[in-house]
Structure formats: structure tokens, C-alpha cells
Amino acid sequence: MSELITVSAETGEVQNTPVNLLDLSRSKMVDFFLSIGEKKFRAEQMLKWIHHYGVDNFDEMTNISKTLKQKLKEVAEVRGPEVVSSQFSEDGTCKWVVRVTSGSCVETVYIPDGKRGTLCVSSQAGCSLDCSFCSTGKQGFNSDLTVAEIIGQVWIAARHFNNVPAKKDRSITNVVMMGMGEPLMNFDNVVDAMNLMMDDLGYGLSKRRVTLSTSGVVPALRKLGEVTDVSLAVSLHAPNDELRNVLVPINRKYPLAELLDAIDQYMSGLPDKRVVTIEYTLMAGVNDQPEHATQLTQLLKNVPCKINLIPFNPFPHSGYERPSNNAVRRFQEQLQEAGFNVTVRRTRGDDIDAACGQLVGQVADKTRRSERYIAARQSEAG
Ligand code: SAH
Ligand code: SF4
């Protein structure tokens, strides 16, 4: 039997936990059906029901026999994360707050832009990496999301839009792992979930349209190239180690030279020609000066890339400010003059606080970092 037998730590009672089929990659789904004495093709049917048609009720699965439905009801379920709230902006941006098993809440944002519709997905409740300008980091860390909780965010949005992958005009054309958390710190679950995003029996997205964003966890980035070929974005934010050590503390462990080498290894291992996206959040007076642009030009001169500038999005007690539009334009132009392809990320969903770095969720912080952070800011403010 495939159901999980667990013993309650509190009562000592034996409990049968149903298997959540939303948690299963294609190969695990096959294993599950084999384990209950069913044929492999059932896995394909099930994946389609769940991910193509958004069905979570076995009774609605018309090509499944009555006996199998009964068997499934005894050992399995299809359970997406609970939607705590959903908000819809005037500009079409949508935000869902979902509760995960640990009790924390994370956020998922949908950003329409012409024919493109990008879903920004979270990978962890909070983040342990503590970048100095990121509100997720300031909330500390609570838990890694399960596969069901990661792919469940796509599932929820797809159900909302009635996004059947086989249809031509799909609402969700791209997924970026740029919500809350550091995807490479939750490696296996993120890889399984991204595989479902790209699977024809899942969401059928091309590998070019699924992007993982990392702050530079170098050993995990090296491992990533061995198991997948999604597109890559790297959060650089500083053109030298001294400044990056402050803004992105993981840099102290894996400095720029190592990071650039791992990026090169990942990109050159891809089967097709693509470039890495370099994300650079601009903070007034911190990393937005002409000398920073000059250093960045030097640093990236041999890195095929496109640069995405993100004007800092403020949040309470951040201690940083967004540069003026002129300062952003000057920085962009300096890089463009040096021959780089540079875009500036527009802030979307302003009215629902859906911008990068503003995703707050509700993290039951294990590290108590958020308390210490607020206390320190308050004492600085006198
Ligand atoms: N942990 C991953 C992905 C999540 S963050 C990473 O760091 O890449 C997604 C992007 O938003 C990152 O580039 C991050 O640095 C940026 N970001 C975080 N806080 C921000 C803020 N307050 N303003 C603008 N961008 C921010
Ligand atoms: Fe974590 Fe990314 Fe925020 Fe850094 S920027 S704290 S890695 S979510």
C-alpha cells in the first residue's frame, strides 16, 4: 500500500496519511500507481487531470473506473495549499497569499504584459540568506515548501485563469522562481516542481520560459546543471566583493569570482544558446553611482548576459531608498554605452504591494531575526 503510516508523537496512535498526488513528479506518480497495483498509463491520466484540467476530485475524473476511484479515495488526495487571500490589481497583476504546512504564508504574483503572463513563485517560507535590502530575508526563515506547495502555486493560478496547457492563448506563459525564498536552498523540491512546469503532462512550458533566480549558492548552482536546463537569473546587486559582502551575505562564502565561474559552467552546459539574466537592485547612494556601473562593465565584460535593473522597492525599516528615475536612467545608459542589453523592471501591482522584495507573506520565524531586526531599527531611529 502506498499510504503513509505514521505514529502520532502526541497520542501514539497509528495514522494513515493519504498521499498528496500534487506532490508527485512524473516518475513518482508512476511509482505510486505501480505500488497500488495499477498500470503506468494511469499516472499520465492523473497528471493531466491535475495539471491540465485543475481537477482535485476523483469523482470528476471520467476515464477512471469506479473501483479505482474508490481505491484512490482510500489512499490518496489532491490537495493544493490553502488560499488565504487573493488580490487583483487595476493593471491586471494578481497576488495570492497561500498557507503552507508549517503555518506560514507565502505569496505568488501573476504579472500580465502583452502576450506574456509571468507567474512569480515562492520556494520557501522566509529565507535564511538575509540580504540586507530584502523584506523576505528580514522575516527570517521558517520552512522549505513541499513540491505540492510550489507547483500548487502554479496550479492555483492555472485554475483561476482556466489555463489549459493545450490551449493556444494561455494566461501563464512564463514562470520565474523569484518569489519568497532562495530556490537553491530547497533544491530537490524546486527541481521536481520545475520539471512539472516543463512536462507536457504538467504545464508544458519551454525550458526557456522557466527561470530560476538565485543569490549565488555556488555548489547548488553547479549541481543544478547536472539535473536541469531551465533559464538562469542571478541576483548580483554589487560589482565588487566588498559591497556584495554587505548586501548579499552569501557572497562571503562564495565570492564573485566563484559565482561567475559557476554561471559560466551552467550556461555553457545548456543544450541551446541562452544568456544569464543579471539582476541588479538599485539603491540610492549605495550601488547606483557611475563608478559602480564602470566596475560592473569590467566585471561582466566576458559574460554573455542581459542586465535587469530593479529600482529598490521600499518596505518599512529597510534603511534604503529608491534612486530617482534620472539616476536609474543614467546607470542604464552607462551600461548600454558599454554594449550591454539593459532593461529596467517596471513596478507592477503597486496597489496590492506585489513588487519584488515586498512580498511579505506571514512567516512564523524560527530564527527570531525579524524581532531583532525591528528592535535594531527602532533603537537606531532613537
Ligand atoms: N532568492 C532569490 C529569488 C527571490 S528574490 C534571489 O535572491 O535571487 C527576487 C529578486 O528580487 C532578487 O533579485 C532580489 O534580490 C530582488 N529583491 C529583493 N528585495 C528587493 C527590494 N526590496 N527591491 C527590489 N528588489 C528586491
Ligand atoms: Fe533570500 Fe533572495 Fe531575499 Fe536574499 S534576496 S534574502 S536570497 S529571497
Side-chain angles (χ1 to χ4, degrees):
M1 288 299 273
S2 207
E3 65 197 308
L4 216 70
I5 310 278
T6 50
V7 180
S8 159
E10 280 159 27
T11 61
E13 273 172 42
V14 174
Q15 300 167 327
N16 295 341
T17 315
V19 176
N20 186 1
L21 301 184
L22 196 58
D23 220 13
L24 305 185
S25 62
R26 187 200 275 234
S27 64
K28 287 182 186 149
M29 191 71 89
V30 170
D31 291 346
F32 166 78
F33 277 99
L34 295 178
S35 79
I36 60 167
E38 294 292 330
K39 296 239 165 60
K40 199 176 149 189
F41 78 94
R42 294 290 181 198
E44 297 181 5
Q45 290 179 324
M46 184 56 71
L47 286 164
K48 278 194 189 168
W49 279 119
I50 297 175
H51 300 293
H52 288 195
Y53 304 111
V55 172
D56 56 358
N57 179 351
F58 297 128
D59 285 330
E60 287 172 34
M61 302 181 176
T62 46
N63 54 4
I64 290 184
S65 71
K66 235 178 163 181
T67 1
L68 178 52
K69 278 181 191 157
Q70 194 48 44
K71 191 158 43 163
L72 287 171
K73 282 184 204 166
E74 283 162 21
V75 297
E77 62 181 352
V78 180
R79 189 162 40 84
E82 178 199 349
V83 178
V84 176
S85 68
S86 40
Q87 283 172 283
F88 304 96
S89 161
E90 281 173 5
D91 69 9
T93 303
C94 313
K95 182 168 92 170
W96 290 269
V97 177
V98 302
R99 195 186 313 282
V100 297
T101 326
S102 64
S104 294
C105 292
V106 300
E107 301 187 348
T108 311
V109 175
Y110 174 78
I111 307 143
D113 190 6
K115 283 198 169 148
R116 177 196 288 241
T118 303
L119 194 69
C120 180
V121 167
S122 294
S123 57
Q124 297 182 304
C127 182
S128 59
L129 298 187
D130 200 16
C131 299
S132 64
F133 55 90
C134 171
S135 70
T136 302
K138 293 300 148 221
Q139 292 173 80
F141 173 72
N142 186 259
S143 63
D144 283 336
L145 303 198
T146 62
V147 177
E149 289 162 352
I150 301 169
I151 202 67
Q153 298 169 60
V154 186
W155 185 74
I156 287 166
R159 277 162 60 113
H160 171 79
F161 291 116
N162 194 14
N163 178 89
V164 178
K167 267 198 333 200
K168 261 209 176 123
D169 48 348
R170 297 189 279 189
S171 308
I172 303 170
T173 62
N174 294 63
V175 175
V176 291
M177 297 300 304
M178 291 185 190
M180 299 171 71
E182 167 51 54
L184 291 184
M185 296 294 278
N186 184 13
F187 193 91
D188 293 340
N189 292 348
V190 165
V191 168
D192 270 6
M194 291 190 311
N195 282 339
L196 282 168
M197 294 170 200
M198 295 185 287
D199 198 317
D200 284 343
L201 297 174
Y203 296 87
L205 295 172
S206 121
K207 60 195 174 205
R208 304 176 79 93
R209 291 166 176 267
V210 174
T211 302
L212 180 141
S213 173
T214 178
S215 58
V217 189
V218 166
L221 178 53
R222 294 199 189 279
K223 207 168 96 187
L224 188 71
E226 292 164 18
V227 295
T228 190
D229 53 6
V230 294
S231 295
L232 181 68
V234 173
S235 295
L236 206 68
H237 310 313
N240 61 64
D241 282 318
E242 201 188 347
L243 182 55
R244 196 163 191 269
N245 285 344
V246 177
L247 301 180
V248 187
I250 188 92
N251 194 70
R252 294 177 208 152
K253 220 165 167 184
Y254 309 114
L256 281 167
E258 281 184 43
L259 177 56
L260 292 177
D261 187 62
I263 294 173
D264 180 50
Q265 186 192 9
Y266 184 84
M267 297 311 295
S268 50
L270 293 180
D272 54 341
K273 208 166 168 295
R274 265 178 276 167
V275 297
V276 61
T277 301
I278 298 291
E279 297 166 276
Y280 193 102
T281 296
L282 284 165
M283 290 160 262
V286 174
N287 64 352
D288 68 339
Q289 300 298 301
E291 72 255 27
H292 297 121
T294 308
Q295 287 175 18
L296 196 56
T297 304
Q298 276 304 311
L299 186 73
L300 298 177
K301 67 172 187 270
N302 295 320
V303 182
C305 63
K306 53 181 184 225
I307 301 175
N308 193 214
L309 301 175
I310 317 172
F312 174 69
N313 290 310
F315 57 91
H317 314 293
S318 78
Y320 293 107
E321 279 168 31
R322 174 191 292 224
S324 68
N325 289 347
N326 273 343
V328 173
R329 196 165 347 105
R330 272 198 299 274
F331 199 89
Q332 179 184 26
E333 282 168 2
Q334 196 179 334
L335 294 172
Q336 281 172 332
E337 277 158 24
F340 289 95
N341 174 357
V342 193
T343 49
V344 176
R345 197 174 294 174
R346 273 191 304 147
T347 301
R348 300 288 305 273
D350 252 351
D351 48 339
I352 58 170
D353 286 338
C356 303
Q358 288 184 324
L359 302 188
V360 180
Q362 212 175 59
V363 178
D365 182 13
K366 270 186 186 165
T367 62
R368 303 191 60 191
R369 186 190 299 143
S370 50
E371 284 170 35
R372 290 197 299 275
Y373 170 74
I374 290 169
R377 287 279 171 228
Q378 278 167 349
S379 70
E380 265 169 39

